[in-house]
Amino acid sequence: MTLTTEKNHKLGDILSGMNRVIVAFSGGVDSTLVLKRAQQVLGTDNVLAVVVGSELFRKEEFAGAVKLAEDMGANVLKTEIKELEDEGVAANTPESWYFSKKLLYSHLNELAQELGYDHVLDGMIMDDLDDFRPGLRARTEAGARSVLQEADLYKREVRELSKELGLPVWDKPASCSLSSRIPYGERLDKEKIRQVDEAEKFIAKLGIEMVRVRHHGNTARIEVAPADMAKLVGYRDRILLKLTTLGFQYISIDLRGYRTGSMNEVLTEEEMADKVN
C-alpha cells in the first residue's frame, strides 16, 4: 500500500465520523476530491455541494463549478456573497483575505444550521500551510473542517487520487480571486475587477492561458511564462488595442514571468507570518 493510498484511507475514516456535510465547492481539484470522497463515504443524500458566487471570481468559474457538481450527481445549492460591500475586503489590505474568508465561512455556517448539516468542509490542503493564507485563521474561527489537511494530503497526492477516481479536473490549474491582481492598499471596486478579468480572458483566447494581468492604476503589468513572452509580443498590436480600450494607458510585460502570489512579494516577514492560528 502506497503512502497516498494510506492517506486516502485516512480521509475516508475522517469522513465516516461525520453525518451530513456541506462542501464549499469551487470546482477546483481539491474541493472536487472532497466532494467525491464525501459522496462515497456518506452517501449523496448526506452531502450538499454549495457553490458560492462572488464579485471577485469569474462568472465562468461559478457556472463551471455548478455543472461539474451536477455531473457528479451531487445535490447542489447555488448562493452568493457580496464581498465588496464589506469594508475589510474592499480596503484591500493583507488582512482582506481574512475578511473575505470570514464572510464565506459565516455564510456556510448559517446555511448548515438552517438546512440541518453537521459540518462545513473546505478544500484546504497541506501546501496551503506554506503560503500566506490569512483565510486559514477565518476557517479555524468558524470551525470548518479541512479534511484534506487532516489526512495530510498535498497537491501532488490530491491530483494522483483525483486521476485514479476519474475526476475530470485532476490536472486543472489552480485559480485565485481576481482581487489578487490588484496591489495591497489600492481599494477594490467592480471596475478594476472587470478590467483584469476581461484583459486576462482576451489574452487567454490568443492561446496564452497561463496569464496574470496585474492592475497598477493606469498600468497593466502582464505576467506570462517565459516561453510565452515571444508569443505575447507577437500579438502586441491586438493586446495594446484591447487593454487601452479597457482603460489602461501603459501596458508592460514582467520579465520575471508568471508566478503565483507575486503581489505578496512586497509583504514583510512579519506580515507573512500571519499564516495559521
Side-chain angles (χ1 to χ4, degrees), residues 145-181:
R145 299 281 296 272
S146 300
V147 291
L148 299 180
Q149 279 187 356
E150 293 177 30
D152 197 38
L153 282 160
Y154 289 83
K155 179 68 78 175
R156 175 187 59 79
E157 297 163 324
V158 168
R159 293 196 186 280
E160 180 183 339
L161 290 173
S162 298
K163 186 176 183 180
E164 291 176 3
L165 289 168
L167 300 177
V169 293
W170 72 269
D171 60 347
K172 180 181 178 180
S175 62
C176 186
S177 166
L178 291 166
S179 65
S180 67
R181 281 65 151 173

Side-chain angles (χ1 to χ4, degrees), residues 7-275:
K7 291 183 179 182
N8 189 32
H9 286 316
K10 182 178 180 181
L11 175 60
D13 290 340
I14 293 167
L15 290 166
S16 66
M18 302 178 181
N19 184 20
R20 304 184 74 226
V21 302
I22 278 177
V23 176
F25 189 71
S26 67
V29 60
D30 304 322
S31 64
T32 300
L33 180 61
V34 173
L35 178 60
K36 181 65 174 181
R37 293 294 283 121
Q39 289 176 298
Q40 290 178 330
V41 174
L42 300 174
T44 297
D45 290 343
N46 294 315
V47 180
L48 178 65
V50 177
V51 185
V52 183
S54 164
E55 299 162 309
L56 305 182
F57 284 83
R58 292 196 171 99
K59 294 179 180 178
E60 294 87 349
E61 291 184 18
F62 176 83
V66 171
K67 184 179 186 305
L68 176 58
E70 290 176 343
D71 289 346
M72 292 172 65
N75 298 310
V76 183
L77 175 65
K78 296 178 284 186
T79 184
E80 66 178 355
I81 54 176
K82 298 290 187 180
E83 291 167 292
L84 291 177
E85 295 178 2
D86 185 284
E87 178 58 29
V89 177
N92 194 24
T93 70
E95 277 290 282
S96 291
W97 296 102
Y98 165 77
F99 291 111
S100 176
K101 290 298 184 181
K102 184 176 181 179
L103 276 179
L104 172 64
Y105 289 120
S106 295
H107 184 56
L108 293 172
N109 276 340
E110 289 172 3
L111 290 173
Q113 184 174 4
E114 176 186 340
L115 300 174
Y117 287 84
D118 305 292
H119 298 279
V120 171
L121 312 183
D122 68 17
M124 292 283 192
I125 57 175
M126 292 300 293
D127 306 66
D128 294 324
L129 298 178
D130 295 325
D131 197 4
F132 177 67
R133 299 275 181 170
L136 291 172
R137 176 157 51 91
R139 180 277 317 272
T140 301
E141 291 175 355
R145 299 281 296 272
S146 300
V147 291
L148 299 180
Q149 279 187 356
E150 293 177 30
D152 197 38
L153 282 160
Y154 289 83
K155 179 68 78 175
R156 175 187 59 79
E157 297 163 324
V158 168
R159 293 196 186 280
E160 180 183 339
L161 290 173
S162 298
K163 186 176 183 180
E164 291 176 3
L165 289 168
L167 300 177
V169 293
W170 72 269
D171 60 347
K172 180 181 178 180
S175 62
C176 186
S177 166
L178 291 166
S179 65
S180 67
R181 281 65 151 173
I182 300 169
Y184 292 122
E186 186 174 326
R187 191 173 182 84
L188 301 179
D189 59 42
K190 291 182 180 179
E191 176 60 16
K192 293 170 186 171
I193 298 297
R194 183 191 69 84
Q195 286 177 303
V196 296
D197 184 24
E198 292 193 18
E200 289 185 0
K201 287 191 290 190
F202 178 81
I203 294 172
K205 287 180 180 178
L206 297 176
I208 307 172
E209 296 186 8
M210 188 181 294
V211 58
R212 291 289 185 269
V213 176
R214 309 295 185 182
H215 192 300
H216 298 272
N218 61 1
T219 300
R221 174 170 59 88
I222 304 173
E223 295 178 11
V224 298
D228 286 328
M229 287 184 183
K231 187 175 184 180
L232 186 75
V233 173
Y235 288 114
R236 171 184 176 276
D237 291 342
R238 294 174 63 179
I239 292 171
L240 283 173
L241 177 60
K242 177 63 177 181
L243 269 62
T244 53
T245 300
L246 289 174
F248 293 109
Q249 186 174 357
Y250 304 104
I251 294 92
S252 66
I253 300 173
D254 190 327
L255 295 181
R256 290 173 294 181
Y258 171 86
R259 59 209 184 278
T260 60
S262 71
M263 289 305 198
N264 291 333
E265 293 169 356
V266 301
L267 299 181
T268 65
E269 290 185 7
E270 182 178 354
E271 290 170 322
M272 288 291 288
D274 184 15
K275 294 179 181 178

